[in-house]
Amino acid sequence: MWFRIVRKVWAARKLSHHKSSQMYQMVVEKARNQVLFEVINVPDSPQGRFESIVLHMFLVQRRFLEIRDSGSLPQRLMDNMAEDFDNSVREMGVGDLSVGKNVKKLSRAAQMRFGIYNVQIDNNSGFREALRSVFASGPMAGQEVDIDTLTRYVGVFVRRLSECSDQALVEGEASLPIISGSDLHSNV
């Protein structure tokens, strides 16, 4: 009897991990949308890709906050992001002794971005400035990222993400929005 209960709990946990991994891969896929790099001019560099992933993760996490009981998926997505940071740092050749420090640094940077975005998300001009402070300063200063188009991109993404059913999101079965260049040039 106990064996069946443990097996059932383990199977549910494994399924939950699989769904969160799948959804995280969707977040990364959206963060690597060529529109961001070719139309908006986000640098196709480790820093640009990091900022794009963090922005998309913020938007997805914000959508989960609108759901009354979103379960463990939002936390599992954050865990997947931290695991991805770990893998990326290792792929860049950082030694094992420094990996933890670098992952903590990236996680703190992501949390800082979440704070910046969260304060301004409901104020369009404020959010534009928040995006400018992240995408047009620091390591990306002088990159000529089109902040106005990036702001439109975020608006379209948020609107389309809000159209996803709560249940599909919580179950990790929602498709995240696909944004094309034409979506950014129309009156949205």
Side-chain angles (χ1 to χ4, degrees):
M1 179 169 139
W2 286 106
F3 178 72
R4 273 190 251 152
I5 293 171
V6 169
R7 191 172 68 193
K8 191 175 185 178
V9 167
W10 184 77
R13 185 180 227 180
K14 187 175 178 182
L15 180 63
S16 176
H17 178 72
H18 175 71
K19 287 185 178 196
S20 69
S21 294
Q22 234 177 352
M23 182 167 261
Y24 180 72
Q25 287 308 310
M26 280 192 279
V27 170
V28 170
E29 182 182 301
K30 299 310 171 195
R32 292 188 176 165
N33 182 343
Q34 287 305 304
V35 167
L36 293 163
F37 303 104
E38 294 172 2
V39 175
I40 299 173
N41 294 324
V42 171
D44 193 3
S45 64
Q47 184 69 37
R49 290 187 295 272
F50 168 80
E51 297 299 354
S52 184
I53 289 170
V54 170
L55 174 61
H56 285 80
M57 181 62 82
F58 168 77
L59 298 172
V60 170
Q61 291 290 339
R62 182 176 179 272
R63 176 64 175 91
F64 276 118
L65 288 175
E66 297 171 358
I67 301 171
R68 201 181 85 187
D69 184 18
S70 57
S72 65
L73 186 58
Q75 181 57 51
R76 288 186 181 273
L77 284 172
M78 295 302 288
D79 295 344
N80 286 120
M81 186 170 70
E83 187 178 317
D84 187 31
F85 290 166
D86 185 278
N87 292 335
S88 296
V89 166
R90 289 177 191 279
E91 285 175 10
M92 291 175 156
V94 172
D96 285 341
L97 297 176
S98 300
V99 168
K101 251 190 274 188
N102 282 283
V103 171
K104 282 183 183 178
K105 184 178 173 185
L106 291 171
S107 295
R108 278 194 303 270
Q111 291 296 23
M112 186 180 81
R113 294 338 184 249
F114 275 38
I116 291 169
Y117 295 147
N118 195 45
V119 168
Q120 299 293 342
I121 190 74
D122 295 322
N123 174 348
N124 195 40
S125 63
F127 195 71
R128 179 180 292 112
E129 290 310 308
L131 289 171
R132 185 179 316 285
S133 74
V134 170
F135 283 89
S137 66
M140 293 199 302
Q143 293 290 331
E144 297 187 37
V145 175
D146 186 343
I147 300 300
D148 291 333
T149 306
L150 180 58
T151 305
R152 282 195 301 276
Y153 174 95
V154 168
V156 172
F157 192 91
V158 166
R159 185 171 34 89
R160 290 187 182 166
L161 188 59
S162 71
E163 295 167 359
C164 292
S165 84
D166 292 353
Q167 184 172 352
L169 278 166
V170 169
E171 292 174 1
E173 297 181 3
S175 293
L176 297 179
I178 298 170
I179 312 295
S180 68
S182 63
D183 294 322
L184 304 176
H185 298 296
S186 60
N187 291 330
V188 290

